[in-house]
Amino acid sequence: MDQNKTNRSFKSLIEILLVSTRLGLTSFGGPIAHLSYFHDEYVRRRKWMDEKSYADLVALCQFLPGPASSQVGIGVGVMRGGFFGGILAFLGFTLPSVIALVILASFFKGMDVSNAGWIHGLKIVAVAVVAHAILGMSKNLTPDIKRKTIALIALVGTLIWQTAYVQVGIIILAAFIGFLIYKQHDESYESTVHFPISRGIGFVSLVLFFGLLFLLPILREVTSSNWIALFDSFYRSGSLVFGGGHVVLPLLEREFVPTGWLEKEAFLAGYGATQAVPGPLFTFAAYIGAVINGWQGGLLATIAIFLPAFLLILGTLPFWDTLRRNPKVKGALMGVNAAVVGILIAAFYNPIWTSSISAPIDFAFAAILFSMLVYWKLPAWFIVIIGATGGSLMTLI
């Protein structure tokens, strides 16, 4: 009996690794697009979790600093396979882009790939993917006029004041509004997932998160070690950034270019390369680390910038499961989930639409890709190939 249980657990972990690796190889378009890919794969196709549990997890990760899409992926892995499931989900989704960027670090110094046609094609793929996600999530998360209004407020606020702190403030405001409106709302449901992480592990994870945040700068000053300084810079960036990968890129520029660790030309080349590879934008750290100290630096940078995200999701999930079942917290969550829809629409316009659709042919190509994804039900990896190929051909027209 125990042997059968062990075999099922092992098969489940292998499945988590394989599925997350496929996502890591095909998820282009940045954090908002990644949430769309996750929703399609984990909720719609594999039914590893239900719509509400996924929406709650996304809401939690919007509250936390760090890479939201990576934290959602880790959370799904933890729910599916415990601690090791979270590790494998992270490795599968992250390693493909880390390996690609470490290799590209030795080739892209002084080069500008940001205007390449195939990169433009991948940006148009993101338009189709995110539009598909917005349609599905808005149907589930904003079914009534009150939540549609919350989404509209979040949309307008996010577009007018485009800072990460405003986004966090909007989410907090939406939670308060949702609490006031829906605190008596009776919406019971049986979740299809569980949280196999104890509160003890959660507490230790939170202590480690804050302990490293305060101790690393001290160690940096005491030891004067370049490796500790590198780890501290990336760990701090991963700990204190709200808003996802697009926000951390300029933060890393301020951390490493003015200090002389990295030439501006090498930074810009890596910036373009990061936009071109699938997976989380935080893997830009792997490129910077590899330019500074080879593949060892790339590995250290990757661990340092993602470690806060891992500690935070492990630290909050055990307590979150209890909180989200509280009727008053459910009301707040309903408000937050509605706000997330508005934030998604705002991100769909800027930066996704504004950086991708600049001519009628771009819009036509986006419509074709959207139809292939939504109506013809073609797989995401095929859409990615068509998008990159079409973007290259469009530069020749």
Side-chain angles (χ1 to χ4, degrees), residues 152-171:
L152 178 61
I153 294 171
L155 164 64
V156 173
T158 306
L159 284 177
I160 293 177
W161 299 286
Q162 296 185 21
T163 70
Y165 295 104
V166 167
Q167 179 175 316
V168 174
I170 287 172
I171 290 174

Side-chain angles (χ1 to χ4, degrees), residues 22-54:
R22 185 162 61 79
L23 287 168
L25 291 168
T26 58
S27 296
F28 293 88
I32 302 300
H34 298 161
L35 296 178
S36 310
Y37 286 108
F38 289 169
H39 181 267
D40 184 64
E41 185 68 36
Y42 294 137
V43 179
R44 290 180 178 173
R45 183 179 302 178
R46 298 189 178 272
K47 302 189 185 304
W48 284 2
M49 57 196 312
D50 55 73
E51 292 277 357
K52 290 188 178 296
S53 293
Y54 182 76

Side-chain angles (χ1 to χ4, degrees), residues 51-76:
E51 292 277 357
K52 290 188 178 296
S53 293
Y54 182 76
D56 289 351
L57 179 61
V58 171
L60 168 62
C61 295
Q62 293 288 342
F63 272 114
L64 300 176
S69 60
S70 294
Q71 288 168 321
V72 170
I74 293 169
V76 172

